[in-house]
Amino acid sequence: MRIASSARLRAGLAPVLAFLAACSSENPTAPEQVAPSQRLVPAAPATQAAGRYVARLATSDLATASAVASRLGAKVERVLGNTGYVELSGVSAGAVATLRADAAIQRMEPDVRQQWIRPLNPRLANTTPVTGVRAQGSNQSGAFFYPIQWNIARVHAPDGWAATPAGAGALVCVLDTGVDDGQLDLVGKVDLSKSGSTSSTEPFLADLNGHGTYVSSLISSNGIGMASVAPDAMLCAVKVLDASGSGSFFDVAAGIVFAADQGADVINLSLSGLVPVDDPVGRFFMALLEAAAHYANDQGALVVAAAGNDGANLDLFPQFKIAPAHLRRVVGVSALAPFAQTKFDGFAPYSNSGLKLVSVAAPGGDLQPGGVVEDLVLGACARIICGGDGFYFFASGTSGAAPHVAAVAAVVESHKAGDQDAAALQQCVLSGAVRVSGLTAAQQGAGRVDVMGAVRRC
């Protein structure tokens, strides 16, 4: 996500792993005009996550691996479902080699902690909070800011409000910095019984960053200050990142598994990381996330992820992958933006592209020289950031594009009879997308996501 008043963010390679924040800054240079070394500049080095290790077990017998770890003074802290991955703590320097050599452990690496998104510097949509507007229900055309929410109209969400259950009965889990469920448009929208934190540094749900609240409001809202794509969908919040936008690989993977176990129909990850897959450690952590995503798919949850905002065509750099958007069976989302409220399907210059990265495109917004602030995407502002429960701000990025796709999937889930599996939802969303003239397949994937297109194709 990009904030109108922010400075340029660049992220790239660190000594072992580095991550591209899904929250980028404005006006990155087009990838064709700069060298890779200029685009993929280190933002901050990856660090070991407080003595935690990730292990891939060579045995399905967790008790055997736990016993091995225990003999060496280590402990199995978390188990990643039935994927075979576990998190170990208390691993001494002397125990590392012994554990790696044990037949019960296929591979073990220090967990990597990195900043996946940047702290917000919000540009408020107005200087006074929205008050005196009632919740709108499915038809949210009466929301205070609806007239300037071009993104809602572009994906034909209002048609969906009238023709579908608008997400009713669907559960969308947002894996992010948490949520402010007391924000005016999110009161009653978050199922707290299905929410939780897998952040190893912030074991509580409150959103101290604001990113998760913004992303959540684009999916489902009360229609008071703003309209949303799937207003009757229920949200669950899974905190995988702390106030600084940082989290470990295992935190994110554990969040995916947690959401799947809550019965999520859709999982949204508005975060991204650039991983060097020509490095064995990079491949190990991509495999960790892929195992979590496949677990979620097997549980019936469609996983949607931001493509990242470095303005790079990843097809040109096969040694790198964007996590988790590049993973198989994950829907990677690029961003579209208007200019001065025209050409609404323009490719946002900050958005990453790639034939194997981008599955579909969605409104992300942008503020280019000569443009207007309404070219950005409006969302809810957490109380800790804005100081009140009725504030909203403008931003742009693939962070905002991804929840449009997650919400369209929720509408399809609510409209079709029965519980849809991940493959069926993905097929509906992609086959219903609208091809955008002038954009390449690497930029738009199947096209611009569309509520009614997805519903009609299914």
Side-chain angles (χ1 to χ4, degrees):
M1 180 170 53
R2 302 195 309 152
I3 306 305
S5 57
S6 67
R8 180 171 186 190
L9 164 67
R10 280 185 172 180
L13 298 180
V16 180
L17 295 174
F19 299 95
L20 284 173
C23 203
S24 181
S25 59
E26 45 189 330
N27 300 325
T29 307
E32 292 77 10
Q33 298 173 332
V34 295
S37 60
Q38 291 176 289
R39 287 203 305 281
L40 306 178
V41 177
T47 59
Q48 184 172 342
R52 302 290 179 99
Y53 280 76
V54 178
R56 173 72 169 95
L57 302 183
T59 174
S60 60
D61 183 6
L62 178 61
T64 298
S66 296
V68 171
S70 180
R71 286 198 303 270
L72 296 170
K75 177 184 177 183
V76 175
E77 287 286 346
R78 292 186 284 184
V79 178
L80 198 66
N82 62 2
T83 66
Y85 288 90
V86 298
E87 181 188 57
L88 301 175
S89 66
V91 181
S92 67
V96 171
T98 303
L99 283 168
R100 283 176 169 163
D102 195 282
I105 295 178
Q106 189 177 84
R107 188 181 182 97
M108 187 179 78
E109 297 293 343
D111 197 3
V112 174
R113 176 177 170 81
Q114 181 66 29
Q115 188 169 21
W116 296 63
I117 63 172
R118 290 300 178 98
L120 297 180
N121 183 20
R123 177 167 180 165
L124 295 183
N126 62 347
T127 56
T128 57
V130 172
T131 58
V133 183
R134 294 184 178 181
Q136 303 298 308
S138 299
N139 185 343
Q140 298 194 330
S141 59
F144 187 84
F145 287 110
Y146 175 75
I148 62 172
Q149 288 188 271
W150 62 272
N151 53 303
I152 298 297
R154 201 64 188 161
V155 300
H156 294 118
D159 294 335
W161 300 339
T164 75
L171 179 67
V172 183
C173 287
V174 178
L175 275 59
D176 215 289
T177 58
V179 69
D180 180 2
D181 64 314
Q183 205 281 344
L184 201 62
D185 261 308
L186 291 175
V187 173
K189 288 295 181 180
V190 183
D191 188 339
L192 296 178
S193 71
K194 295 182 181 296
S195 301
S197 173
T198 60
S199 167
S200 53
T201 56
E202 289 186 5
F204 49 84
L205 193 57
D207 183 7
L208 305 183
N209 177 288
H211 191 271
T213 298
Y214 174 91
V215 168
S216 297
S217 69
L218 296 173
I219 298 170
S220 182
S221 73
N222 286 317
I224 299 173
M226 61 176 289
S228 55
V229 178
D232 291 334
M234 184 59 68
L235 300 169
C236 86
V238 183
K239 177 183 281 196
V240 297
L241 307 178
D242 63 18
S244 71
S246 299
S248 79
F249 257 92
F250 202 92
D251 289 345
V252 175
I256 295 172
V257 169
F258 176 89
D261 287 343
Q262 305 313 303
D265 296 296
V266 189
I267 297 172
N268 185 87
L269 294 114
S270 288
L271 51 89
S272 64
L274 185 71
V275 179
V277 291
D278 57 352
D279 180 283
V281 177
R283 292 195 296 272
F284 175 78
F285 282 104
M286 284 295 285
L288 168 71
L289 287 182
E290 186 155 50
H294 283 194
Y295 177 91
N297 288 167
D298 291 344
Q299 299 298 312
L302 178 65
V303 182
V304 177
N309 301 334
D310 203 51
N313 181 351
L314 272 296
D315 291 339
L316 303 178
F317 310 105
Q319 69 270 38
F320 301 116
K321 297 294 183 184
I322 298 292
H326 243 134
L327 298 174
R328 293 173 292 177
R329 293 199 283 174
V330 172
V331 177
V333 186
S334 63
L336 305 176
F339 176 73
Q341 292 296 282
T342 63
K343 302 177 181 178
F344 288 91
D345 284 335
F347 186 71
Y350 57 77
S351 180
N352 285 339
S353 60
L355 289 172
K356 294 183 179 181
L357 171 64
V358 176
S359 303
V360 71
D366 195 17
L367 183 55
Q368 300 184 56
V372 295
V373 71
E374 288 82 7
D375 292 343
L376 300 167
V377 173
L378 179 134
C381 189
R383 289 172 295 175
I384 194 168
I385 303 297
C386 290
D389 63 2
F391 284 97
Y392 302 81
F393 66 89
F394 291 104
S396 64
T398 55
S399 278
H404 287 80
V405 176
V408 169
V411 173
V412 173
E413 175 68 38
S414 70
H415 186 71
K416 291 191 70 176
D419 188 18
Q420 308 306 308
D421 62 25
L425 276 184
Q426 179 170 331
Q427 176 62 24
C428 292
V429 171
L430 300 189
S431 65
V434 178
R435 296 291 298 179
V436 179
S437 176
L439 298 190
T440 66
Q443 292 173 323
Q444 65 178 312
R448 188 238 309 130
V449 71
D450 187 87
V451 171
M452 295 310 298
V455 168
R456 291 189 184 110
R457 291 302 296 268
C458 293

